[in-house]
Amino acid sequence: MKMKVFFLIILISTFTNSCSNDSSDVQGIEVENPDPDPTPLDPDSVGTDWEGLVVPPTAGEGKIWKLQKDLSDSFNYSFTGTPTEETFGDKWTNFYHNNWEGPGPTKWVRENVSVTNGELQIKATRNEGEMKSFEVDCNTDGVAETWTLPTTRAGCITSTRRVKYPVYVEARVRVANAVTASDVWLLSPDDTQEIDIIEAYGGKGEDNRNVWLAERVHLSHHTFIREPFQDYQPADIGTWWRKDGIDQWGGKWVRVGVYWRDPKHLEYYIDGIHVRTLSDKAFASRDVNGNIAIPNL
């Protein structure tokens, strides 16, 4: 994956979500004589909430982590949702990085993005009678079917700047208690490379149809070929990560980070714990008991 990527926080379909306070990304830089960081400032005095947080992966021999303040945001300001294109916090735009309106019945609308009380808030709404038609191959027979469903007006934000490896990106997210996805992605400008920092379907559903997904967090990436369409992503069970004692992620706050070390190496961290590594064609994940499982090394 040789790319510079946008940082996207996305809601897909019907749910309300907020991301807050510890969303930061930092890059490893080389230094001749690394010195400890100076005593951190009171975060309230500088408008950030991540001072004193330890970056879980090491930066490497002879390197330190450096906070990228022009990309990091704790959302300690206000932004009122608006149907017009806007940049807020000098870091985000209130839509996807191109004109695509969203997958399936989703329709991203700018006014469903706001910042209040120190939190990024992305909501979902519906207009009575509004429908959306879309094509998807649900039965995987190679032929897409046309579906028409009520339109879900959701929200999405995109960073105004890009990142490139080596970089550690972390977000603190409250997973929506819904059967649809709460997402934070890194995405290439041509939509062919995607790193899913988090993709969680946190609600069980009224009929419990989503129990399996609700108790897992999807840690994955995609490589797309558009014509003819192909979508590669890891298929091992470790890409659906579970934590002991959690039967659904909906409604819970979680701190998720990805260390994109080089084009073929990704490390995932949840609440500061290293839970998964992908390195070229090899992978290893921490199981529900906290043990490292290495199925293909």
Side-chain angles (χ1 to χ4, degrees):
M1 289 179 287
K2 296 182 179 180
M3 57 177 176
K4 289 188 177 180
V5 295
F6 296 100
F7 182 25
L8 293 93
I9 299 177
I10 298 175
L11 274 75
I12 297 177
S13 202
T14 308
F15 59 89
T16 303
N17 178 295
S18 64
C19 307
S20 171
N21 292 346
D22 294 318
S23 175
S24 60
D25 51 88
V26 290
Q27 291 185 317
I29 60 170
E30 293 187 8
V31 292
E32 293 182 1
N33 296 298
D35 294 321
D37 289 337
T39 302
L41 298 172
D42 177 357
D44 291 335
S45 70
V46 295
T48 61
D49 300 318
W50 50 71
E51 298 289 348
L53 279 180
V54 175
V55 178
T58 61
E61 185 176 355
K63 300 179 181 179
I64 62 171
W65 291 112
K66 181 176 177 60
L67 179 68
Q68 304 299 296
K69 293 184 178 181
D70 61 342
L71 283 159
S72 303
D73 203 347
S74 54
F75 300 106
N76 285 334
Y77 52 85
S78 295
F79 171 69
T80 302
T82 172
T84 59
E85 180 179 353
E86 299 289 345
T87 298
F88 60 97
D90 194 34
K91 298 172 183 180
W92 310 98
T93 57
N94 55 348
F95 202 72
Y96 197 66
H97 72 112
N98 58 40
N99 292 326
W100 185 46
E101 68 177 7
T106 301
K107 182 179 181 180
W108 292 316
V109 294
R110 299 181 188 277
E111 58 266 33
N112 282 11
V113 173
S114 62
V115 179
T116 186
N117 297 325
E119 295 180 351
L120 167 67
Q121 298 187 344
I122 305 178
K123 65 182 180 180
T125 56
R126 277 184 175 169
N127 290 346
E128 185 175 356
E130 184 179 14
M131 307 292 286
K132 181 182 176 183
S133 296
F134 56 95
E135 292 187 350
V136 62
D137 181 13
C138 285
N139 57 11
T140 65
D141 64 355
V143 179
E145 304 90 37
T146 298
W147 296 74
T148 301
L149 295 173
T151 300
T152 296
R153 292 176 162 241
C156 171
I157 71 171
T158 302
S159 63
T160 58
R161 300 170 182 85
R162 302 179 193 174
V163 297
K164 185 180 179 180
Y165 61 85
V167 64
Y168 179 71
V169 183
E170 182 173 286
R172 183 171 178 260
V173 178
R174 186 180 183 184
V175 178
N177 187 13
V179 300
T180 46
S182 303
D183 302 328
V184 181
W185 295 343
L186 296 177
L187 188 64
S188 64
D190 63 359
D191 286 334
T192 63
Q193 306 282 344
E194 173 186 314
I195 299 172
D196 300 332
I197 297 173
I198 182 173
E199 195 168 82
Y201 305 79
K204 294 182 179 180
E206 294 179 357
D207 56 0
N208 285 328
R209 69 185 183 278
N210 206 53
V211 168
W212 193 89
L213 291 172
E215 65 181 1
R216 291 165 170 83
V217 174
H218 197 204
L219 309 174
S220 191
H221 67 275
H222 296 260
T223 301
F224 297 104
I225 297 175
R226 295 297 173 182
E227 291 292 342
F229 182 78
Q230 298 177 56
D231 173 11
Y232 166 80
Q233 63 175 317
D236 65 289
I237 191 61
T239 193
W240 295 97
W241 186 79
R242 292 181 60 201
K243 184 175 182 178
D244 186 35
I246 293 182
D247 64 355
Q248 76 169 75
W249 285 94
K252 299 184 183 300
W253 286 96
V254 61
R255 179 180 157 208
V256 182
V258 167
Y259 176 26
W260 183 19
R261 191 187 70 184
D262 59 48
K264 296 183 179 182
H265 186 99
L266 298 169
E267 296 176 8
Y268 288 85
Y269 295 81
I270 293 185
D271 293 327
I273 304 299
H274 185 190
V275 298
R276 180 165 170 81
T277 296
L278 297 105
S279 190
D280 198 3
K281 296 181 180 179
F283 52 85
S285 299
R286 199 175 296 274
D287 66 19
V288 68
N289 298 312
N291 301 314
I292 295 294
I294 309 176
N296 73 331
L297 291 181

